[in-house]
Amino acid sequence: MSTDAHHVDHVEVFVNYDQEIDVLRTQFVSIISDYAARQDTSIQRLLFSSLGSLCDFFGTKITMNELIPHLGTCSNKKEFLIKLECLKSVTGVGIRVGKQTLSQYMLLVYTQFLHDSEELVVFEIIRTLSRLLKLRLISKSTLMDDY
């Protein structure tokens, strides 16, 4: 086998791999969206507890278009355990999406949790904000100016 033929085979493998992983990601996004829409709190808690890992798998574009909107629905949930899992995932998601996305999209929703009727939710948003400050994913001035 010549070197050129060997190189072509590798290129095809990489092209096929990229196509296949994109198909797999699309299928997973569909499944996740279906499960997120269900009212089963156990499934929703599991989904939110896995968001950091899912962001790694999906990459920035799908995370921004598909996963971040699910995070935005957390403040509307009645079950406080779902809210807790959602808040616990913010730091991991924030690391993956970056400072700008975190402040533009996510913090506006999550600061609503400061006024939640459940004390554990309020405690968790304070812990989450503290972690984000320590990791420098948000600044004190942003936090103080906006909230």
Side-chain angles (χ1 to χ4, degrees):
M1 175 176 3
S2 73
T3 306
D4 290 337
H6 185 68
H7 178 70
V8 170
D9 289 343
H10 284 313
V11 170
E12 287 180 25
V13 168
F14 284 122
V15 170
N16 289 336
Y17 173 79
D18 288 341
Q19 290 171 348
E20 291 297 317
I21 198 76
D22 286 343
V23 168
L24 186 61
R25 285 180 177 133
T26 301
Q27 290 171 343
F28 277 162
V29 164
S30 177
I31 291 167
I32 288 169
S33 295
D34 289 345
Y35 278 111
R38 295 181 184 185
Q39 298 301 316
D40 186 324
T41 58
S42 297
I43 291 174
Q44 289 180 353
R45 286 178 56 205
L46 179 63
L47 172 65
F48 288 122
S49 71
S50 304
L51 278 178
S53 299
L54 290 171
C55 291
D56 285 340
F57 174 71
F58 287 121
T60 304
K61 184 178 178 182
I62 293 175
T63 295
M64 294 297 300
N65 294 337
E66 303 292 335
L67 299 181
I68 297 295
H70 290 298
L71 279 171
T73 66
C74 285
S75 62
N76 299 329
K77 304 292 182 188
K78 293 181 179 166
E79 176 62 48
F80 81 95
L81 292 173
I82 293 173
K83 293 178 183 181
L84 289 176
E85 290 301 334
C86 198
L87 287 169
K88 289 176 184 177
S89 73
V90 170
T91 304
V93 173
I95 289 169
R96 288 155 185 90
V97 299
K99 196 176 198 176
Q100 184 176 4
T101 299
L102 186 66
S103 63
Q104 283 180 341
Y105 299 103
M106 296 169 66
L107 286 181
L108 297 171
V109 172
Y110 289 109
T111 52
Q112 295 174 20
F113 288 126
L114 288 169
H115 307 287
D116 198 272
S117 61
E118 179 60 51
E119 290 177 10
L120 286 174
V121 173
V122 175
F123 177 73
E124 190 59 42
I125 186 61
I126 292 169
R127 285 182 52 192
T128 298
L129 292 172
S130 174
R131 284 191 299 264
L132 294 172
L133 283 166
K134 285 179 184 174
L135 293 170
R136 298 183 182 198
L137 289 171
I138 59 172
S139 66
K140 290 179 185 177
S141 61
T142 298
L143 194 58
M144 299 307 285
D145 291 345
D146 294 344
Y147 314 105

